[in-house]
Structures are given as structure tokens and as C-alpha cells.
Amino acid sequence: MKPIPYGRQEITASDIQAVTSVLTSDYLTQGPNIKAFEDAFAAYIGAKYAVAVSNGTAALHLAAMAAGVKPGDRVITTPITFAASANCVRYCGGEVVFADIDPDTFLLDINKVRALLEQHPRNTFQGIIPVDFAGYPVDMEAFRTLADEYGMWIIEDACHAPGAWFTDSKGVRQMAGNGVYADLAIYSFHPVKHIAAGEGGMITTNDETLYKKLLTLRTHGITKNQNDFSNSLEMATGVPGMETGTFPGWYMEMQDLGFNYRLTDFQAALGLSQLQRADEGLMRRVEIARVYDQAFQHNDKIECQQLQLKERDLEHAYHLYVIKLADRLGLYNYLKEKNIYAQVHYFPTHLMPYYRQQGWKPGDFPLAEKYYSQCLSLPMFPSLTEKEQTFVIDQINQFLTSK
Ligand SMILES: *Cc1c(COP(=O)(O)O)cnc(C)c1O
């Protein structure tokens, strides 16, 4: 049996065709595939606007800038996520404040966030970054209600959840990141994520002002739109006294301190090609999850992520299939010997040395820390074969009965 990783991309002949055709076209960056990918992605998620950027971390950074994070702002997020969810606040000079997770869903616990808000004077916190961890869609409607009570913005880190949805209180299916409840949402196209583009990221929003801001921030804060220019025609043309006429074609203005966070056109072509298979991939992930569910449901040594949006429906996107067990290290090593490379998501961000320097310490979030000591992500990717999955499950059962 060849090595089985926890996640793996799949590249088809049409993906290769899509990329190579861009290589011989006129545009290697910011060509027609960028807009095509953005439009198709926005349509897939059900958001009005999408902005493609160089990776998910850049997407978080620009989303935090567009949300207006500034030095002294305080933003709440979960400790159980990839560190970038928190780091984007630091890039803008803000403070990260963590709140503990729900031990059953492994998501940021809204009741912990509410308690934090109630314990502090109003306007202490400016925003919340909930994460659709493992692909489990956050009940964003509930977070919106809470954020509105306190005048806060929401950035949804939906990197794990393209295609996931939850049902809101009106019975409407809301796709993760569709911009109905969160102000901004972000995605990553790293090879382990649902849609692989090598590197790549996307920001979605329904807010036109935020959208326009993101477009300029992606490319140095430069605008070429004549209606937005603030300098005079005289300055732009270099012609003394010139007051009427049009701005010359070369002229552009840098109005904000932006970045070069552009995606290349061939990455966009790969993303667009992969997006065509997104539904298929998601269905396969759900199928794999059901097989794991069945295998572990009567096993009292294993706990799975509990799907509990009260009586309402949801679709989990299964970026990860996480189990919890007492001897996590033992199982990890046992599987590794059998060429099965399970992974751990995540070491709590507040315990990373960088965040410990900011004053966070062991014991701050007991549920997140307990979760970390037991969690293991099993192989989960569309091309995992039935035979491979059966092998994984058999090895887990053997390990557990040998103890
Ligand atoms: C992958 C990921 C990111 C960062 O995306 P990159 O494209 O690797 O920069 C951010 N948040 C979460 C939850 C992720 O899984």
C-alpha cells in the first residue's frame, strides 16, 4: 500500500490543459482568468463579489484592512485554527483576543464570546473572526445578531468550508461565506484545500464599498479609475495650468498603502478548472465521512465532531475528518508505521510562542487545550479509494483492540 496522507490534491488532464493554454496567451497575471474565476467562485458561493488574491493569508490580511483593523483594536477568534486567522489582526496592529471552543463541535463557542463581551465595557472589541473549522459551517446568523448588538464586524474564515451551508432561523440554506451574515469571508486554494491552485486565495463580500477597497489594496492601493482621482489634471498631465480635459492613459494614483497580493492568471485557470469539480469532490468527501461515522459510531474510545445545529439542517464540507481519542500520540505513531499519515489540527494558537509573548498561557482555554491533546485528522480527500479507507479503519480498530 502506498503512503496515505491526510489530504491530497487531484490534477486532471483538463486542469493541465487549462494551465498550459494560459502560458502561451497574452497574460500571465491579471488576465481574463482572474475575473472568470472570481465570477464563477462568487456564483458558487452565492456572494455578490469575489476578489482573487495570492493566498489565504493575504485574503485574511486584506479582509482585516478592509474591515478597518487599526492599532489598538481588539478582535476575537478561536484558538483552534491555523495561526493565520489570528495573525491578520496583528498585521494591522490590532490585538488578538481568544475565546474557548465548544467541546462538541470544536468551533468558537458563541456563549464564550458573549460572556467576553458582557465582561468588558462597550466598544472594547471591534470584530470577530469565526472559523468554519474542518468544514463545519458556523451558525453565522447567531454571530451576526451578537456582532450587531455590539457594533462589530465579522470576517468568516471559510478556508475549510467552500460548499458548506447551514439553515438559518427562516429555514433558508446559507452557504458558508455568502456574505449574508458575515461582512467578508476568505478562502485558500492551497493544495490540501478543496480547490487547489498551488497557492491562491479569495475574499467574498456583498458590500460594494468593501469590494472596491479590496481591489485597490490587492495591487498597491493603486486606482486607475478617473472618478476616484484626487490629484488635479495639471499635476497628472504635467501641463501647467491645464484644468479641463481627460486624464492621460498612463496616469494612476496610489491612494492607500496596499500590497502586491495578485494571483497569476495560470493559477486562476487552475482554480477555475478545479471549481468545475467542486460539487463532485464535496459529495465524495461526505461519502467518506459517512463511512468513518459508521465505523466509529459504536466505538466508545473514539469521539467525532458532533453535528448539532439544534433541529436544523447543515452540510459539512469535510476539509478534515477529526476524531478524538485518549492515546492520540499512540495512534498517530501506529498509523505512521503502516504508511498512514494522519495529522493534527491544530496546536492552539494562543500557545504558540509568539502569542505566549503577548501574555497568553496554558490553562487560558481548557477546552481548546483538551481538544488538542486528543485530536487527530484522518485521511480525507476525494481520491481516497474505498480500499484505502477500509485499510485506515482496520488499522485504527487493530490499534484500539490491542490496547
Ligand atoms: C489554509 C488556511 C489559511 C491560510 O491559507 P494559505 O493559503 O495557506 O495562506 C487560513 N485559515 C485557515 C483556517 C486555513 O485552513
Side-chain angles (χ1 to χ4, degrees):
M1 186 86 56
K2 62 181 191 331
I4 307 176
Y6 87 89
R8 178 162 60 198
Q9 78 275 17
E10 191 180 27
I11 299 293
T12 64
S14 51
D15 289 343
I16 293 167
Q17 173 58 34
V19 172
T20 53
S21 68
V22 176
L23 295 178
T24 51
S25 76
D26 289 341
Y27 298 95
L28 290 187
T29 190
Q30 300 303 104
N33 282 289
I34 299 288
K35 190 70 169 75
F37 184 31
E38 288 172 341
D39 289 349
F41 194 84
Y44 178 62
I45 296 299
K48 262 197 195 146
Y49 307 105
V51 178
V53 292
S54 45
N55 55 66
T57 304
L60 279 161
H61 186 186
L62 294 194
M65 286 179 79
V69 180
K70 53 183 192 313
D73 281 6
R74 290 183 194 81
V75 178
I76 302 167
T77 192
T78 168
I80 298 300
T81 182
F82 184 58
S85 314
N87 296 349
C88 64
V89 176
R90 301 293 301 146
Y91 298 159
C92 300
E95 298 295 321
V96 179
V97 180
F98 298 98
D100 214 345
I101 61 165
D102 178 315
D104 297 327
T105 64
F106 319 153
L107 302 178
L108 178 63
D109 184 345
I110 192 168
N111 297 314
K112 296 276 164 51
V113 176
R114 185 186 301 281
L116 190 64
L117 293 169
E118 285 168 356
Q119 284 156 17
H120 290 81
R122 278 195 77 81
N123 303 324
T124 299
F125 303 95
Q126 283 65 45
I128 314 177
I129 306 180
V131 179
D132 300 308
F133 174 72
Y136 188 128
V138 168
D139 181 350
M140 208 51 73
E141 184 185 26
F143 271 96
R144 179 80 265 165
T145 305
L146 183 62
D148 283 349
E149 259 179 69
Y150 287 86
M152 297 160 77
W153 49 258
I154 300 174
I155 296 173
E156 176 176 6
D157 184 337
C159 281
H160 296 183
W165 49 259
F166 75 98
T167 324
D168 69 12
S169 62
K170 294 179 197 74
V172 180
R173 282 184 182 184
Q174 302 288 353
M175 292 279 279
N178 71 0
V180 169
Y181 295 112
D183 300 278
L184 296 142
I186 69 98
Y187 301 84
S188 162
F189 306 122
H190 181 278
V192 296
K193 308 290 162 73
H194 292 60
I195 296 160
E199 296 280 357
M202 194 74 82
I203 310 162
T204 52
T205 184
N206 285 350
D207 183 316
E208 195 185 356
T209 309
L210 291 175
Y211 170 63
K212 286 186 170 165
K213 192 157 191 183
L214 292 166
L215 288 180
T216 68
L217 288 174
R218 169 174 72 182
T219 177
H220 310 283
I222 285 174
T223 180
K224 290 180 182 169
N225 184 353
Q226 189 163 325
N227 299 326
D228 297 331
F229 289 161
S230 35
N231 283 337
S232 65
L233 194 60
E234 181 182 11
M235 288 169 75
T237 55
V239 179
M242 185 159 178
E243 275 172 24
T244 54
T246 54
F247 282 82
W250 71 74
Y251 186 71
M252 53 172 120
E253 283 186 359
M254 189 206 120
Q255 298 182 329
D256 276 316
L257 186 60
F259 294 85
N260 175 358
Y261 279 164
R262 295 186 298 260
L263 188 69
T264 65
D265 215 52
F266 46 92
Q267 287 172 306
L270 180 53
L272 184 57
S273 176
Q274 294 248 322
L275 184 58
Q276 317 305 315
R277 295 198 306 281
D279 282 334
E280 215 179 291
L282 183 57
M283 270 165 56
R284 180 66 192 127
R285 284 174 187 272
V286 171
E287 234 172 60
I288 293 167
R290 292 294 85 86
V291 173
Y292 281 137
D293 286 347
Q294 281 235 314
F296 305 135
Q297 66 182 347
H298 299 302
N299 192 325
D300 57 10
K301 289 176 182 157
I302 288 185
E303 264 180 77
C304 300
Q305 198 176 16
Q306 284 174 34
L307 305 187
Q308 47 153 239
L309 201 70
K310 290 163 205 111
E311 286 87 51
R312 289 185 269 135
D313 234 8
L314 62 80
E315 172 100 315
H316 192 305
Y318 292 106
H319 165 57
L320 304 173
Y321 191 93
V322 181
I323 59 169
K324 286 198 298 180
L325 78 162
D327 188 9
R328 185 264 311 274
L329 181 61
L331 178 58
Y332 172 83
N333 286 330
Y334 185 88
L335 292 177
K336 207 166 98 180
E337 269 170 38
K338 312 282 172 183
N339 245 351
I340 298 166
Y341 294 87
Q343 247 310 348
V344 167
H345 300 90
Y346 291 94
F347 181 77
T349 309
H350 72 285
L351 297 182
M352 290 289 185
Y354 174 80
Y355 284 98
R356 289 188 66 185
Q357 284 162 29
Q358 323 263 320
W360 301 100
K361 56 188 189 308
D364 281 345
F365 304 105
L367 298 173
E369 292 164 28
K370 176 101 192 293
Y371 163 84
Y372 167 70
S373 70
Q374 301 181 324
C375 67
L376 194 65
S377 306
L378 302 182
M380 168 56 85
F381 49 92
S383 59
L384 182 73
T385 65
E386 259 178 62
K387 201 171 147 218
E388 286 171 326
Q389 191 179 11
T390 306
F391 179 68
V392 171
I393 292 166
D394 287 348
Q395 296 310 312
I396 294 170
N397 287 333
Q398 272 178 35
F399 171 80
L400 293 173
T401 51
S402 72
K403 298 204 36 119

